[in-house]
Amino acid sequence: MSDKATIEINGKKYDFPILVGTENEQAIDISKLRAITGGVTTIDPGFKNTGSCESGITFLDGEKGILRYRGYSIEELANKADFLEVAFLLIFGELPTKEELDQFHEDIKENSIVDDDIRKILDAFPKAAHPMGILSSLTSALTAFNPSNDQINNIDYERSKKALYDNIVKVLGKIPVLVTWTYRKKHGLPLEYGDNSLGYVENILKMMFKKPNKDYEENPVIVKALNKLLILHADHEQNCSTSTVRIVGSSHAGLFASISSGISALWGPLHGGANQAVLEMLEAIKADGGDTKKYMAKAKDKSDPFRLMGFGHRVYKNFDPRAKIIKVTADEVLNDLGVEDPILDIAKDLEKEALSDPYFVDRRLYPNVDFYSGIIYRAMGIPVDMFTVMFALGRLPGWIGQWREMRLKKEPIGRPRQIYTGPNHRTFKSVMD
Ligand code: CMC
């Protein structure tokens, strides 16, 4: 294998080193391109072929449908691990010992209290506000109430490491409270802090669903399913929201501010917002008589803006391993809960048709993680506009781990280049003249 790439520009040759990752991925290191060529840059809209960093957190091979967190396969983690174990793994690099996990959970619980003034901010949102907008705003507002310094500071490294750890457990402690409060406020329920004797996932469900003056009964099917969904969402290397978190953090903005921007990036229907869009699409197809062929034709018609939501992925060009796990889980959960949801049949019909349709086969468009997740969330009793919020909750460890890695490696500020295509120099003339 060659260890350099040669690029010829205007008859002159330039050599660039090739970096090789632990899974033999190769990248041409063009960081010196501009300097040695006297101003030539690269262009890659949507960063379809641009590596922004070297990272030791998540490996995915889109051709083979492989996803691993810190070397552990997603299948194994989804079936055997606890979400908090996975969070620790993603953030700190290794699985925790029992003592480390217990301490981590204790620290998260201790840091889960949210300042009372946050309730006032929550109260000020109109009832129709989207939960993702609320969550992003409240996460940003946390900065005002937790002004600790989480900068990685060379001068007092131990102190800044401690401040960073404190902010990590605060994010994992407080954001579930904000998520569940957002849900409760929308549904006219009094705000709850939940129960510190419970596991992390169990507590999220109790905070969300506990009815006033009624005992709360835990449903192990729902706990298991949510644990699995959160693990499947936990990280996905340099996707839109994670790149956002890293790039915001690269300016040395704090962890809360960076996560808040990640939540906003996740909101869009092409990214995490697809789970809401999928369910709305399936409902619309059902309301329109369940004619999946009509919607397949719309998705293929280039003059129609309709896309089959939950299909296609920037990186997976064979299958999304998370979608495989989720499809089985959707069947299990609906079965165990005794829920009959006609939109599951519509989803399965669409999938079957797409998998044998040349348009989808040629473009290698397969169901992604969001195709079936909404059906599970709905069976759990979670409303459609909260689906992406649940995704955000699962993605927290990934965002934190990537942010921490970026700061510990002292990565430079993110600042892409461009090719300017606007007007050339012209002279200003005011309308006031
Ligand atoms: N329905 C119909 N056509 C599609 C779809 C779709 N869902 N997705 C892609 N295509 C077509 C697209 O029109 C293009 O066709 P052509 O080559 O003829 O112009 C071709 O497939 C390539 O698509 P692209 O938009 O260039 O691919 P991309 O890598 O830029 O976009 C995507 C990836 C996920 C944004 C896109 O597939 C999409 O919009 N899917 C629907 C939204 C969705 O489910 N998003 C969730 C992604 S997984 C969750 C997460 O974010 O982690």
Side-chain angles (χ1 to χ4, degrees), residues 59-71:
F59 170 69
L60 76 82
D61 181 331
E63 300 299 321
K64 297 194 183 125
I66 294 174
L67 174 61
R68 294 187 204 130
Y69 298 160
R70 304 272 190 192

Side-chain angles (χ1 to χ4, degrees), residues 48 270-271 302 307-308 310-311 314 359 363 368 370:
K48 291 197 175 199
L270 297 190
H271 191 14
K302 293 289 173 199
R307 274 192 168 197
L308 207 53
F311 265 77
R314 170 59 62 78
Y359 174 96
R363 288 169 181 76
N368 58 49
D370 289 322

